[in-house]
């Protein structure tokens, strides 16, 4: 059974930093695109940053220059380094990965981790 487990959320003051991690576990053949999404109260879930298996990245305009996504393929882990945090970054952050097993290929989601930025 494939699982994505996130860690690293919390409460931080504006201007501070947090690093999120998301590790995949289970019988996995391949991990393709990975990414981080977020959902604030009353808003739709939105893509924050994505990274391909080859390391190409893309970011939402609102986080460019402040957030950095990276991955460690050997550890099956994706990271999101968040700097210069703003109150508007407050949301539940979800990890997403396109994973192939012996029987199935599809998108998996983590349980979400709360990030709260105080002003």
């Amino acid at each position: 059974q494939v699982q994505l487990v996130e860690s690293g959320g919390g409460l931080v003051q504006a201007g501070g930093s947090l690093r999120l991690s998301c590790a995949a576990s289970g019988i996995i053949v391949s991990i393709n695109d990975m990414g981080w999404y977020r959902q604030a109260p009353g808003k739709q879930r939105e893509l924050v940053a994505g990274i391909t298996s080859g390391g190409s990245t893309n970011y939402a305009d609102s986080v460019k220059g402040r957030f950095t996504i990276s991955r460690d393929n050997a550890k099956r882990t994706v990271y999101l380094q968040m700097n210069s945090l703003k109150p508007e970054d407050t949301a539940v952050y979800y990890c997403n990965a396109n994973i192939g097993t012996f029987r199935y290929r599809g998108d998996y989601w983590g349980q979400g981790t709360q990030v709260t930025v105080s002003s």
Side-chain angles (χ1 to χ4, degrees):
Q1 183 178 357
V2 173
Q3 284 188 316
L4 295 177
V5 179
E6 298 143 347
S7 61
L11 172 64
V12 64
Q13 288 188 332
S17 298
L18 283 174
R19 188 192 194 208
L20 305 183
S21 299
C22 172
S25 64
I27 301 175
I28 296 171
V29 174
S30 63
I31 302 177
N32 301 304
D33 294 352
M34 305 183 82
W36 289 95
Y37 289 72
R38 68 186 180 187
Q39 188 166 19
K43 295 187 177 181
Q44 289 188 334
R45 190 173 296 189
E46 63 174 358
L47 175 67
V48 176
I51 185 167
T52 68
S53 57
S56 297
T57 59
N58 63 287
Y59 297 92
D61 288 343
S62 60
V63 306
K64 283 181 181 176
R66 300 188 297 122
F67 290 10
T68 302
I69 189 171
S70 61
R71 64 191 284 172
D72 184 329
N73 292 328
K75 294 183 179 179
R76 298 175 171 178
T77 300
V78 62
Y79 305 96
L80 186 67
Q81 177 66 44
M82 305 185 292
N83 298 328
S84 302
L85 282 161
K86 303 175 181 180
E88 51 263 44
D89 294 319
T90 295
V92 178
Y93 284 69
Y94 296 91
C95 170
N96 171 272
N98 184 268
I99 294 174
T101 68
F102 288 110
R103 295 186 176 184
Y104 172 76
R105 173 181 296 281
D107 283 345
Y108 292 83
W109 291 90
Q111 79 283 1
T113 185
Q114 177 70 46
V115 171
T116 302
V117 184
S118 63
S119 57

